[in-house]
Amino acid sequence: MLKSLYLGMFMLVSSFAFSQTVVDIIVNSPDHNTLETAVVQAELAATLSGDGPFTVFAPTDAAFDLLDANVLSDLLADPTGDLARILLYHVLGSEVKEADLNNGQSVTTVLGQNITVTLNADGAFVNGAKISVTDLQGTNGVVHVLDAVILPPNATVVDVIVNSPNHNTLETAVIAADLAATLSSDGPFTVFAPTDAAFALLDADVLSDLLADPTGNLAKILTYHVLSGEVLSSTLMDGQTATTVLGQGLTVTINADGVFINDAKVSVTDIRTFNGVVHVLDAVILPPAATVVDVIVNSPNHTTLETAVTQAGLVGALSGDGPFTVFAPTDAAFALLDADVLSDLLADPTGDLAKILTYHVVNAEVLSSTLTDGQTATTLLGQGIEVTINTDGVFINNAKVSATDIRTF
């Protein structure tokens, strides 16, 4: 393949001047100003200046000009989001030179999604973009120049799981637990994804029981592997804790042996998608067998409710098998009560206070997805409550639901 004479001579002279990383090649190229801006704003310059090796398919300024101006403007306005994902779709985590390219070859990018190589009489192409210059050698990899920007499919965290050859059990579990639609929504999500080998470490009877009750304990375990928000490996710190979608915390450990979530080792990081990121685990992490009382006790926003439940003698009952659905007023909600009324209730905790508290509990697990406007339910007190759903949100009687589906065992 012929190389651009100008760029070839430029890179040859530059290589004698100083040692260049793949980032230096981009920065020093007169034809990659937009890519340089994008890499810097996406905070990828340091990563791509690391040891590597990397293969970068580098779209020229003319290639970026082919994008709709509004699209490019939107990408630059969110540089560490979609722009970073698109850039990572142009990078391989190994050095692949022109001689290594084969027709029909499929290669996984740093984004975690594949690109396809086509070789024909017209040249070499990646997806539909032509490689115009090859084998610009850097100290930590190689750069090939593209005449177009290649865009990844709008894959979700679910698509990553479904398309992975190592996550068949997780795919089955997510679908059976009715979580595929949720995890395909806008998010963003962070998914810690146990491999098939990780699930195989579970007792066969335990796994069988979980799959037999997919929307129950299986769903709880799966949502313990999910965070609400995109958490990249670069932001993880030793001793860090994070609250999962299940509502229970997990702990990050970083030591000489690697990165661990609880006791499960992270084997692959930062598979980014358009609604979050996937990190691969070598074990299934199991949440503590928390009860609805544990959630109340561990919440910084429910200290008054904790006091009330304890003084009303309801801890034992609500720590039982259940299942229970608790509509839990926050400290701010209790503060709206007249101070004398709250004082009188706490002075007679097993009387009116206990009645009010049991009016906030239903003897069944009621998820937010099952609530409908006008629905009624009978509480432990024996009296009914009514659900209202409108443009302002979800209400139980006249109280607004501010957080939903903090699930327990």
Side-chain angles (χ1 to χ4, degrees):
M1 182 182 298
L2 293 177
K3 300 181 180 179
S4 160
L5 180 59
Y6 176 81
L7 272 178
M9 291 179 64
F10 176 83
M11 299 317 305
L12 182 61
V13 172
S14 297
S15 66
F16 287 112
F18 53 85
S19 296
Q20 297 188 110
T21 66
V22 292
V23 173
D24 294 324
I25 291 174
I26 293 167
V27 169
N28 293 318
S29 166
D31 297 322
H32 289 87
N33 298 298
T34 306
L35 180 59
E36 175 186 350
T37 299
V39 167
V40 171
Q41 292 193 12
E43 299 179 6
L44 293 175
T47 299
L48 294 178
S49 296
D51 292 340
F54 303 105
T55 298
V56 178
F57 296 98
T60 61
D61 295 335
F64 277 101
D65 287 342
L66 296 175
L67 294 177
D68 181 277
N70 291 329
V71 171
L72 182 56
S73 176
D74 289 345
L75 290 173
L76 289 170
D78 179 27
T80 58
D82 286 348
L83 178 61
R85 295 183 178 102
I86 289 172
L87 294 177
L88 293 174
Y89 190 55
H90 289 74
V91 181
L92 307 180
S94 60
E95 185 174 274
V96 179
K97 294 190 174 182
E98 178 186 6
D100 301 318
L101 299 176
N102 300 300
N103 187 41
Q105 182 179 7
S106 181
V107 188
T108 303
T109 66
V110 173
L111 180 63
Q113 299 183 43
N114 287 0
I115 54 176
T116 301
V117 176
T118 301
L119 303 180
N120 57 34
D122 295 322
F125 298 81
V126 175
N127 289 5
K130 187 173 183 177
I131 302 176
S132 57
V133 180
T134 62
D135 293 348
L136 301 178
Q137 186 65 55
T139 57
N140 68 339
V142 65
V143 176
H144 307 298
V145 178
L146 293 188
D147 70 355
V149 178
I150 55 176
L151 298 176
N154 290 329
T156 66
V157 292
V158 173
D159 293 322
V160 169
I161 294 167
V162 169
N163 293 322
S164 167
N166 300 315
H167 289 88
N168 298 296
T169 306
L170 181 59
E171 175 186 351
T172 299
V174 166
I175 293 171
D178 289 337
L179 292 174
T182 299
L183 294 177
S184 297
S185 63
D186 291 340
F189 303 104
T190 298
V191 178
F192 297 102
T195 60
D196 295 334
F199 275 101
L201 296 175
L202 293 177
D203 183 276
D205 290 337
V206 170
L207 182 58
S208 177
D209 288 344
L210 290 172
L211 290 170
D213 180 27
T215 59
N217 286 339
L218 178 62
K220 292 170 184 170
I221 289 173
L222 293 177
T223 52
Y224 188 57
H225 288 74
V226 182
L227 305 179
S228 180
E230 186 177 77
V231 180
L232 299 178
S233 62
S234 59
T235 67
L236 297 177
M237 299 179 293
D238 185 41
Q240 179 181 1
T241 60
T243 302
T244 65
V245 171
L246 179 62
Q248 298 185 45
L250 47 76
T251 302
V252 178
T253 300
I254 301 176
N255 57 35
D257 295 323
V259 178
F260 298 81
I261 304 300
N262 289 1
D263 293 322
K265 186 172 184 177
V266 180
S267 56
V268 180
T269 63
D270 295 341
I271 303 173
R272 299 185 71 177
T273 75
F274 277 81
N275 75 336
V277 63
V278 177
H279 307 293
V280 178
L281 293 188
D282 70 354
V284 178
I285 53 176
L286 299 177
T291 66
V292 292
V293 173
D294 294 322
V295 170
I296 294 167
V297 169
N298 293 322
S299 168
N301 300 316
H302 290 87
T303 55
T304 305
L305 180 59
E306 176 186 352
T307 299
V309 167
T310 301
Q311 293 192 12
L314 293 175
V315 170
L318 295 179
S319 297
D321 291 340
F324 302 107
T325 297
V326 178
F327 299 100
T330 61
D331 294 336
F334 275 102
L336 296 174
L337 293 177
D338 181 276
D340 291 335
V341 170
L342 181 57
S343 178
D344 289 344
L345 289 173
L346 290 171
D348 180 26
T350 59
D352 287 343
L353 178 61
K355 293 174 183 175
I356 290 172
L357 293 176
T358 53
Y359 187 56
H360 288 75
V361 182
V362 174
N363 194 14
E365 185 177 77
V366 182
L367 298 178
S368 62
S369 58
T370 67
L371 296 177
T372 57
D373 185 43
Q375 179 181 1
T376 61
T378 302
T379 65
L380 286 184
L381 182 62
Q383 299 183 37
I385 52 175
E386 183 174 355
V387 178
T388 300
I389 302 176
N390 57 35
T391 55
D392 293 324
V394 179
F395 298 81
I396 304 300
N397 290 0
N398 294 316
K400 187 173 183 178
V401 178
S402 57
T404 64
D405 297 342
I406 303 174
R407 301 185 72 180
T408 74
F409 279 79

